[in-house]
């Protein structure tokens, strides 16, 4: 088989030129001409998946028509994916003169396959005979199950419409988790039925004095349903026992002396806290975490635990124990920021590593006790860091994070001594102190979220920066067509 020709439609292509992001496990060009995908019919195991596939193809300019001679067939088949791959998300995509066939053991893999196919449709060929996809077989499976984005909707509020666009982006990059940071010093962004005063009194503020906002129970339900259809799990976060000024503003009983704290619209951290021995504290945490856990369709609730700078370790540990217990009693698995390693943890608790400053020993000990790790090292995966010192948006406390910084890192080597098998996955994170609009948010996410997605999906030996920067350049047209702003970093020839 010759790999020399790289013109779609004229024989085998150089596989490294196929614009698939994240990069698959196995890419085998086939001999023979490419397949014209101007008009196709879609056959799928159910109507919902057929509609999602049609939506993806239409977005790439491919018309879907039941009478079209070229078929895109989606079929459930356990014998799919790379040889030996165990992930239930694995899939095989075959594009040949016979049409397109995607197989996977589960529906999520079929959608991954459609998304890879969508990336293979040349940009700008919409509806024309030019929409020719190279003949190829892709066998693919992700490296990690937890591939996510953590999004702060407190410092600036982003509502249901923006969040659906974020779900679309997350899904396009084959990520599975959207973690929403819903409570902090500057606002309370989730309706809690047992404690309506939280949103009544503390949702109308944000950094810099804007209107804020919050998600109602119904809006969260609808968002979770939208995400679940796209195989994205929403993980809500109630941050405690620090980052609680919105709570102590709404509920004065949480403060010794009973006087509510003032609203806060700045960007400092570490000044607010709960008091464990305050009689109002445990009922508050039971109500809020219990309600939020019951409102959560997915298996995880994040209970924060970061940057508690004014509490002794024994009191902090009691908060970790209580918060995790309440979440477990509601049948969910607790997630904590890395500081939770200093509390008592049940096996299976998830710790989200974020701060690369300091000693890794507590994390190695937590892993030995059965904690699972999601890696979000700020100097790689915090997408609110500026790209360069001159970048108009973002912060720089963890340094500048250019696209290549978000790409060139290995999750198992972030914490020396952490057993590789303790790593459950990778999450990008974006904090919104400086981000006020959807375009500003997306321009910080893209293109770096694509890099983090590839870190989470693609086995280390198959990652390659030169290939990635070429493949990511090819995404620009689709991002523009979707209305997703991105930062045209000079590290890529767009
Ligand atoms: C964090 O960045 N404080 C988790």
């Amino acid at each position: 088989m010759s790999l020399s020709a790289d013109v779609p439609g004229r024989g085998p292509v150089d596989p490294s030129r196929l614009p698939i992001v994240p990069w698959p496990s196995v890419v085998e060009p086939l001999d023979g001409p490419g397949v014209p995908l101007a008009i196709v019919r879609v056959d799928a195991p159910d109507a919902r998946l057929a509609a999602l596939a049609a939506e993806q193809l239409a977005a790439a300019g491919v018309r879907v028509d039941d009478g079209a001679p070229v078929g895109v067939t989606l079929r459930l088949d356990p014998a799919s994916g790379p040889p030996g791959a165990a992930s239930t998300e694995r899939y095989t995509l075959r594009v040949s003169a016979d049409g397109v066939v995607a197989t996977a053991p589960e529906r999520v893999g079929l959608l991954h396959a459609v998304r890879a196919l969508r990336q293979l449709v040349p940009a700008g060929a919409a509806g024309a005979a030019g929409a020719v996809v190279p003949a190829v077989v892709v066998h693919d499976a992700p490296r990690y199950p937890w591939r996510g984005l953590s999004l702060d909707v407190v410092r600036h509020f982003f509502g249901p419409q923006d969040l659906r666009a974020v779900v679309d982006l997350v899904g396009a990059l084959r990520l599975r988790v959207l973690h929403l940071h819903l409570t902090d010093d500057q606002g309370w962004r989730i309706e809690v039925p047992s404690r309506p005063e939280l949103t009544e009194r503390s949702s109308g503020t944000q950094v810099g004095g804007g209107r804020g906002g919050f998600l109602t129970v119904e809006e969260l339900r609808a968002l979770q349903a939208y995400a679940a259809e796209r195989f994205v799990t929403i993980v809500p976060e109630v941050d405690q026992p620090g980052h609680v000024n919105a709570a102590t503003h709404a509920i004065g009983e949480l403060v010794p002396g009973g006087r509510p704290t003032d609203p806060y619209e700045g960007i400092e951290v570490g000044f607010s806290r709960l008091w464990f021995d305050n009689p109002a504290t445990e009922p508050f945490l039971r109500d809020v975490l219990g309600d939020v856990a019951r409102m959560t369709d997915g298996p995880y609730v994040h209970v924060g635990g970061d940057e508690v700078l004014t509490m002794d370790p024994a009191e902090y540990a009691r908060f970790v124990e209580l918060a995790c217990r309440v979440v477990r009693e509601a049948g969910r698995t607790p997630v904590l920021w890395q500081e939770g390693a200093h509390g008592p943890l049940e096996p299976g608790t998830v710790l989200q590593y974020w701060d690369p400053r300091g000693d890794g020993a507590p994390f190695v000990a937590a892993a030995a006790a059965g904690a699972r790790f999601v890696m979000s090292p700020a100097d790689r995966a915090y997408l609110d860091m500026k790209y360069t010192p001159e970048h108009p948006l973002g912060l720089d406390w963890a340094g500048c994070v250019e696209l290549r910084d978000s790409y060139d890192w290995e999750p198992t080597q972030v914490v020396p001594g952490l057993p590789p098998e303790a790593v459950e996955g990778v999450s990008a994170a974006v904090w919104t102190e400086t981000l006020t609009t959807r375009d500003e948010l997306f321009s910080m996410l893209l293109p770096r979220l694509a890099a983090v997605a590839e870190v989470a999906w693609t086995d280390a030996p198959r990652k390659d920066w030169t290939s990635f920067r070429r493949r990511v350049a090819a995404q620009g047209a689709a991002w523009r067509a979707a209305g997703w702003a991105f930062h045209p970093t000079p590290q890529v020839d767009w």
Side-chain angles (χ1 to χ4, degrees), residues 239 243 269 306-307 337 339 354 382 397 431:
D239 202 352
H243 289 276
V269 298
D306 58 321
E307 296 179 307
W337 294 108
E339 289 91 331
W354 65 276
Y382 266 31
W397 64 263
W431 305 89

Side-chain angles (χ1 to χ4, degrees), residues 159-394:
Q161 271 195 320
D162 291 328
L163 294 177
R164 278 197 294 277
V166 172
V167 168
D168 291 344
L169 169 60
V170 159
L173 293 169
R174 268 82 98 195
L175 303 173
R176 295 297 304 278
V177 177
L178 176 59
H179 155 210
L180 297 178
H181 181 75
L182 292 165
T183 73
D184 210 305
D185 294 321
Q186 297 85 350
W188 190 277
R189 305 290 182 226
I190 182 67
E191 180 186 3
V192 178
S194 62
R195 299 287 181 139
E197 62 272 37
L198 287 165
T199 42
E200 284 165 8
R201 295 180 191 154
S202 281
S203 66
T205 42
Q206 62 183 13
V207 168
R211 287 213 321 271
F214 67 98
L215 298 176
T216 64
V217 172
E218 172 54 26
E219 285 167 340
L220 178 67
R221 191 204 60 70
L223 179 68
Q224 291 183 103
Y226 183 86
E229 254 185 40
R230 289 154 182 79
F231 306 99
V232 172
T233 298
I234 302 290
V235 176
E237 178 187 351
V238 173
D239 202 352
Q240 57 77 54
H243 289 276
V244 289
N245 188 69
T248 55
H249 172 65
I251 303 175
E253 295 76 22
L254 293 172
V255 184
R259 188 170 166 274
T261 54
D262 292 334
Y264 183 69
E265 297 178 344
I267 65 167
E268 297 303 317
V269 298
F271 60 87
S272 62
R273 58 166 293 179
L274 299 173
W275 279 264
F276 198 90
D277 288 330
N278 183 328
T281 297
E282 181 163 342
F284 166 77
L285 285 178
R286 284 193 170 280
D287 285 350
V288 170
L289 294 174
D291 274 5
V292 169
R294 282 184 291 275
M295 285 151 53
T296 300
D297 295 339
Y300 298 103
V301 174
H302 202 307
V303 296
D306 58 321
E307 296 179 307
V308 190
L309 306 182
T310 61
M311 188 178 291
D312 72 56
E315 186 178 1
Y316 177 79
R318 293 170 77 194
F319 276 107
V320 170
E321 192 279 328
L322 174 63
C324 290
R325 179 154 43 88
V326 173
V327 167
R328 284 190 190 282
E329 282 168 5
R332 304 297 188 278
T333 298
V335 184
L336 290 141
W337 294 108
Q338 68 183 39
E339 289 91 331
H342 299 282
L345 299 180
E346 300 265 321
T349 303
V350 177
L351 292 178
Q352 186 169 6
Y353 179 88
W354 65 276
D355 188 349
R357 303 163 294 190
D359 177 18
F363 311 121
V364 177
R372 312 286 305 151
F373 279 81
V374 171
M375 308 310 285
S376 307
D379 52 351
R380 304 293 186 169
Y382 266 31
L383 306 187
D384 56 311
M385 293 299 111
K386 291 174 176 290
Y387 289 86
T388 59
E390 302 74 37
H391 199 77
L393 299 171

